[in-house]
């Protein structure tokens, strides 16, 4: 399925959280928190400013990002969980 977000919205695929802790303890699904890290799949064309011009997006497809825990709207695409969120919900780009 091909999705193109509108305006300043971003399509993000959640990255899976670790199944075990550093000490080797296995974490059951019921105790896991939703990860707040993901990979940008697609970005919109940018937000319109007061002059009617598009502001460029700071993130691009392929970036790893940290986002607010309760930000975005959950969607299921091709059986995988994704989020559609505004660029304002992105807290940071993970580099390195």
């Amino acid at each position: 399925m091909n999705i193109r977000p509108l305006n300043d919205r971003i399509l993000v695929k959640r990255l899976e959280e670790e199944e075990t802790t550093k000490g080797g303890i296995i974490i059951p699904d019921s105790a896991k928190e939703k990860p707040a890290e993901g990979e940008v799949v697609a970005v919109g064309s940018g937000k319109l400013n007061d002059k009617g011009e598009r502001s460029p997006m700071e993130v691009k497809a392929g970036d790893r990002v940290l986002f607010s825990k309760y930000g975005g709207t959950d969607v299921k695409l091709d059986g995988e969980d994704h989020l559609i969120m505004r660029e304002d919900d992105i807290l940071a780009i993970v580099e390195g």
Side-chain angles (χ1 to χ4, degrees):
M1 186 179 306
N2 197 9
I3 301 266
R4 184 176 52 91
L6 300 176
N7 298 321
D8 66 332
R9 289 186 175 81
I10 300 167
L11 180 66
V12 176
K13 180 180 177 188
R14 284 188 194 268
L15 296 178
E16 293 299 319
E17 194 167 324
E18 295 293 323
E19 302 265 334
T20 60
T21 64
K22 291 180 182 179
I25 298 171
I26 297 173
I27 303 169
D29 287 336
S30 59
K32 287 185 193 175
E33 288 189 21
K34 290 185 176 182
E37 185 174 353
E39 181 179 346
V40 176
V41 177
V43 297
S45 54
K47 191 175 195 173
L48 283 175
N49 63 19
D50 295 335
K51 297 178 185 176
E53 301 166 342
R54 295 259 177 215
S55 300
M57 300 285 277
E58 291 196 38
V59 297
K60 62 186 180 309
D63 283 348
R64 282 182 73 164
V65 295
L66 298 176
F67 49 86
S68 57
K69 191 174 192 176
Y70 300 106
T73 302
D74 291 318
V75 292
K76 190 166 249 178
L77 302 172
D78 297 331
E80 294 184 23
D81 291 329
H82 290 74
L83 286 168
I84 294 180
M85 62 181 65
R86 292 193 174 275
E87 186 177 32
D88 293 345
D89 291 333
I90 301 291
L91 303 174
I93 297 172
V94 179
E95 296 177 344

